[in-house]
Amino acid sequence: MTSTALLTDHYELTMVQAALHSGAASRPGVFEMFGRRLPNGRRYGVVAGTGRFLQALRDFRFGPAQIDDLARRRIVDDITLDYLRGYRFTGDIYGYAEGEVYFPGSPLLVVEGTFAEAVVLETLALSVYNHDCAVASAASRMITAAGGRPCIEMGSRRTHEWAAVAAARAAHIAGFATTSNLQAGRDYGIPTAGTSAHSFTLLHDDEETAFRAQVESLGTDTTLLVDTYDVPRAVELAVRIAGPTLGAVRLDSGDLLAQAHEVRAQLDGLGATRTRIVVTSDLDEYAIAALAAAPVDAYGVGTSLVTGSGHPTAGLVYKIVARSDSAGTLVDVAKTSKDKASVGGRKFALRRLDEHDVAAAEVIGIGERPDGDANDRELLIPLVRGGGVDTARERHARSIAELPSKAHRLSRGEPVIPTVFVNDEPPGALVYTPAGQHRPLARGTGR
């Protein structure tokens, strides 16, 4: 086991020290992870990282090496070191299932435990979820733009080596068919794919020698990269060498829309009617959408995917929303500071569906489950080990399918459904606005 306990911020442990000093460290409380707003122009977000977080939580232990390091650097005092030696999270964690969609104010993660147990998980949870949710949200938009054509994740060379593995997993959850990353294939069972780069062609004395070597080694179902020199000549050469059963050709530069039409016509004229066309070259959801009318069979996406297509973090925060008072009663707490206000109280979440089973609102009960009807869907579940990537992929497909059609527009827009907070106390209900703040909602309009 490799400990994850030091994948945290300095102030998490100094808060534990001060809370031990005040006597409040063992006070029960509730922390929640949520986003005040979606990234600018996004209509929904996608939950990813749950499985990775649970794995990291299992390994969140302060062993001798971690304790010795903290002592050597005098991060915390001896009393706190004694507490950390025995640290085990013993509370309860609920959350949105991996692959689910979310909106501003959605309580993606609810952590119930003592203050000291729960507060030290803040950095770990946020670092996992902010990265994975950003990638999955971008990937989901790309899958929508692809219109059923498969997408290949190939961003490993554009990010940190281990972030690449996490990105491949998040992209697969959102619908990407394969990844180029072998570690992701090993760790998560994601199908891997890849053939050759321009360097392979340039290694050989000429393109014909390179193509023959690849076909003889990898078979005629391989994908030949045809834009190293002259595309029409390379396509003709590829079909002549591999025959009409050539698997695919790849275009990685130039005017992809025009070239795809030209290459398709050339392939068909040469009898290679089943040879597919794969396009790469700095694609994002907008470039993929622009190729919708082109005879493209698959898209390879790298940089834009692993950087969240312009939003490399999901903007999630982890805040205490309730804690026990001196009498042992759980009381709501919340920030009220300008632009960073939050809604206090333990949350319970439903996806409100209309008579056509289309999502109409995110309904959040404060302190108790909101009233629902037969087709409202529970969103918070106990988080336990299990339900791997394939289950999350299926869940994401179902969750996306129940959103209103405007959720699939790539143009900038507001969250596709509102987030409504229901409370028996005045003012009755709150709704998140596009700016991420909350305002009163007339009672009864949440239905």
Side-chain angles (χ1 to χ4, degrees):
M1 181 192 81
T2 300
S3 172
T4 59
L6 296 187
L7 296 176
T8 192
D9 286 318
H10 186 118
Y11 84 158
E12 310 290 8
L13 300 190
T14 53
M15 281 193 286
V16 171
Q17 176 175 316
L20 288 168
H21 177 78
S22 72
S26 60
R27 181 175 286 182
V30 180
F31 282 79
E32 289 178 357
M33 185 175 67
F34 59 93
R36 294 188 177 93
R37 58 189 63 82
L38 296 177
N40 187 33
R42 294 285 174 88
R43 298 170 187 264
Y44 64 91
V46 178
V47 178
T50 311
R52 292 209 309 120
F53 170 69
L54 293 176
Q55 175 70 38
L57 177 64
R58 189 194 70 175
D59 298 336
F60 198 88
R61 301 287 186 272
F62 292 87
Q66 290 73 43
I67 295 296
D68 289 348
D69 178 70
L70 294 173
R72 178 182 59 82
R73 291 190 285 149
R74 298 182 180 179
I75 303 298
V76 291
D77 62 17
D78 289 343
I79 293 174
T80 307
L81 291 175
D82 286 341
Y83 171 82
L84 295 177
R85 282 190 184 92
Y87 177 89
R88 298 290 186 275
F89 181 79
T90 62
D92 297 321
I93 299 180
Y94 300 83
Y96 280 37
E98 205 156 29
E100 184 62 80
V101 298
Y102 71 90
F103 300 93
S106 296
L108 272 62
L109 200 68
V110 177
V111 180
E112 300 176 336
T114 68
F115 176 82
E117 281 184 330
V119 73
V120 295
L121 301 180
E122 174 186 11
T123 303
L124 181 66
L126 289 178
S127 62
V128 171
Y129 276 86
N130 268 318
H131 173 267
D132 290 22
C133 290
V135 173
S137 298
S140 180
R141 287 162 57 85
M142 293 171 187
I143 290 296
T144 294
R149 297 168 177 173
C151 291
I152 307 161
E153 185 282 314
M154 46 191 297
S156 296
R157 291 163 294 164
R158 299 295 186 265
T159 189
H160 184 277
E161 60 268 28
W162 290 105
V165 180
R169 180 183 184 277
H172 191 61
I173 286 171
F176 270 60
T178 56
T179 178
S180 65
N181 191 285
L182 293 178
Q183 189 69 42
R186 177 188 178 188
D187 290 353
Y188 302 118
I190 304 170
T192 60
T195 49
S196 67
H198 291 100
S199 60
F200 180 79
T201 301
L202 295 169
L203 167 70
H204 294 83
D205 293 338
D206 53 54
E207 201 167 39
E208 180 173 355
T209 304
F211 282 5
R212 286 193 183 280
Q214 184 173 330
V215 170
E216 289 171 3
S217 176
L218 301 179
T220 59
D221 194 42
T222 192
T223 299
L224 293 175
L225 182 57
V226 294
D227 72 332
T228 304
Y229 304 114
D230 178 75
V231 172
R233 180 184 180 282
V235 171
E236 186 278 328
L237 189 62
V239 176
R240 175 154 53 87
I241 291 171
T245 60
L246 173 63
V249 295
R250 178 161 75 96
L251 298 170
D252 188 53
S253 61
D255 185 340
L256 297 177
L257 179 61
Q259 279 197 127
H261 283 286
E262 293 165 0
V263 169
R264 181 74 270 159
Q266 186 180 6
L267 288 170
D268 291 348
L270 294 169
T273 57
R274 294 188 178 181
T275 297
R276 296 171 293 115
I277 298 175
V278 179
V279 297
T280 54
S281 186
D282 293 326
L283 298 180
D284 60 12
E285 61 265 50
Y286 303 105
I288 292 172
L291 291 166
V296 171
D297 298 285
Y299 305 94
V301 191
T303 304
S304 183
L305 176 63
V306 298
T307 57
S309 193
H311 300 287
T313 177
L316 303 174
V317 296
Y318 182 94
K319 301 297 180 185
I320 189 169
V321 295
R323 51 91 177 165
S324 291
D325 61 17
S326 57
T329 302
L330 198 66
V331 296
D332 299 351
V333 294
K335 288 180 63 175
T336 59
S337 52
K338 184 178 180 181
D339 298 330
K340 289 191 175 182
S342 56
V343 179
R346 206 278 198 196
K347 312 300 188 308
F348 299 81
L350 298 176
R351 181 72 40 79
R352 179 136 297 159
L353 306 176
D354 65 16
E355 64 273 17
H356 304 293
D357 289 332
V358 175
E362 196 94 331
V363 182
I364 313 296
I366 302 174
E368 60 183 9
R369 185 186 183 278
D371 292 335
D373 50 34
N375 64 340
D376 284 352
R377 187 159 63 81
E378 295 278 357
L379 293 171
L380 283 169
I381 62 171
L383 291 179
V384 295
R385 294 289 298 165
V389 169
D390 289 339
T391 300
R393 277 169 63 85
E394 295 166 5
R395 182 182 300 112
H396 177 66
R398 292 193 301 269
S399 186
I400 285 292
E402 73 184 15
L403 293 181
S405 60
K406 63 182 179 180
H408 307 301
R409 299 173 188 168
L410 295 183
S411 58
R412 291 183 180 277
E414 305 300 343
V416 71
I417 61 174
T419 304
V420 179
F421 289 84
V422 181
N423 191 341
D424 287 337
E425 302 297 326
L430 301 166
V431 62
Y432 258 68
T433 66
Q437 299 303 303
H438 50 272
R439 59 173 173 79
L441 180 74
R443 188 179 291 276
T445 58
R447 288 296 298 169

